[in-house]
Amino acid sequence: MFANRLVDEIVTVTEEEIATAVRVAWSRVHLALEPTGALPLAAYLAGKLPKGRTGLVLSGGNANFATVATLL
């Protein structure tokens, strides 16, 4: 399916885990993230990333305000 020598693993998250990540980003660190921009945070919060030091890239420039408002 997907082969790249730079990728060790691909993880998936549920829609509820994404919604939780959007809420956590907003309430704890005051970041307005679009749902797809919160995917790394969702994986981290769900314990699906490898142990150890981890960097997350979060984004939110194209957020649909109605969708984000529903999640919050």
Side-chain angles (χ1 to χ4, degrees):
M1 177 180 141
F2 185 85
N4 188 318
R5 60 188 170 90
L6 302 176
V7 175
D8 293 328
E9 183 179 358
I10 295 173
V11 298
T12 60
V13 294
T14 66
E15 288 187 14
E16 185 54 41
E17 290 167 336
I18 296 167
T20 298
V22 169
R23 287 190 294 269
V24 166
W26 178 259
S27 64
R28 294 189 187 172
V29 291
H30 307 288
L31 290 176
L33 301 178
E34 60 184 82
T36 55
L39 289 173
L41 182 59
Y44 176 79
L45 293 173
K48 296 181 178 183
L49 297 181
K51 301 294 181 214
R53 295 181 73 164
T54 303
L56 305 176
V57 177
L58 308 174
S59 64
N62 295 318
N64 178 308
F65 294 121
T67 301
V68 174
T70 300
L71 295 175
L72 295 176

